[in-house]
Amino acid sequence: MITFSCKAFEELTVYELYDALMLRQLVFSIEQNCVYLDTDGKDLYGLHCMGKNEQGKIIAYTRLLPKDVSYPGYTSIGRVVNAPEARGGGIGRQLMQYSLTQIEKHYGKEPIKIGAQTYLLQFYTSLGFEAIGEPYLEDGIEHIEMVFLPK
């Protein structure tokens, strides 16, 4: 069973911060072989959604950012990540649905923009996101911008 929570940066425990950054580094830097500065200064302004397993380990994570922090005129969801052992069981969908709920709760019914890896296009489309623009390379991985317009 997964337990979800959402906290502002200053509410994170040092253990949650450590686990979240470790998960992000494991997947983005090690698994996907991307060399970039993950701690980009935006964490301070965002909300951090975490899915923890029964042992309290973070196995799913997103970072929610208020309007204009990542994209002018949009709130955003980023750093979407699942631990390797958490994939294939629907946790990613639960995490994104929880994240969408938290965006509305904390930021209102604002349009949301993401930079999605193109291999996840169908997944994000199934959640209500629509692709805009053309695919682009970011850190050697093809991405596409997508927008979610709340109803």
Side-chain angles (χ1 to χ4, degrees):
M1 186 171 107
I2 303 301
T3 304
F4 290 99
S5 63
C6 187
K7 296 182 177 184
F9 183 80
E10 59 274 6
E11 297 172 322
L12 295 170
T13 69
V14 292
Y15 299 102
E16 288 170 330
L17 178 60
Y18 182 86
D19 285 351
L21 293 175
M22 180 182 279
L23 177 59
R24 286 166 36 175
Q25 185 176 9
L26 171 71
V27 174
F28 301 134
S29 299
I30 305 300
E31 186 178 291
Q32 295 182 353
N33 197 29
C34 294
V35 179
Y36 69 99
L37 186 60
D38 178 53
T39 51
D40 58 3
K42 295 177 184 178
D43 290 312
L44 303 172
Y45 306 104
L47 297 170
H48 303 269
C49 295
M50 301 164 284
K52 296 181 183 179
N53 65 14
E54 295 86 359
Q55 293 75 39
K57 179 182 177 191
I58 297 173
I59 59 169
Y61 171 91
T62 59
R63 177 176 75 179
L64 313 181
L65 295 174
K67 186 162 69 172
D68 299 326
V69 174
S70 276
Y71 301 102
Y74 293 92
T75 58
S76 66
I77 302 173
R79 301 296 197 262
V80 180
V81 62
N82 286 334
E85 68 271 17
R87 296 181 190 146
I91 293 171
R93 179 169 300 282
Q94 291 174 46
L95 173 66
M96 283 301 296
Q97 289 168 334
Y98 179 78
S99 298
L100 290 167
T101 300
Q102 293 302 307
I103 286 236
E104 185 173 328
K105 177 181 175 183
H106 294 279
Y107 303 136
K109 288 190 174 195
E110 295 285 338
I112 303 164
K113 186 181 268 192
I114 63 173
Q117 294 182 6
T118 55
Y119 83 93
L120 292 168
L121 184 66
Q122 185 176 356
F123 169 72
Y124 287 115
T125 299
S126 76
L127 291 165
F129 285 85
E130 294 182 23
I132 58 172
E134 296 297 319
Y136 60 93
L137 282 181
E138 183 175 311
D139 301 313
I141 298 173
E142 190 174 78
H143 285 70
I144 191 161
E145 289 184 348
M146 301 186 81
V147 171
F148 179 90
L149 301 173
K151 297 175 179 161

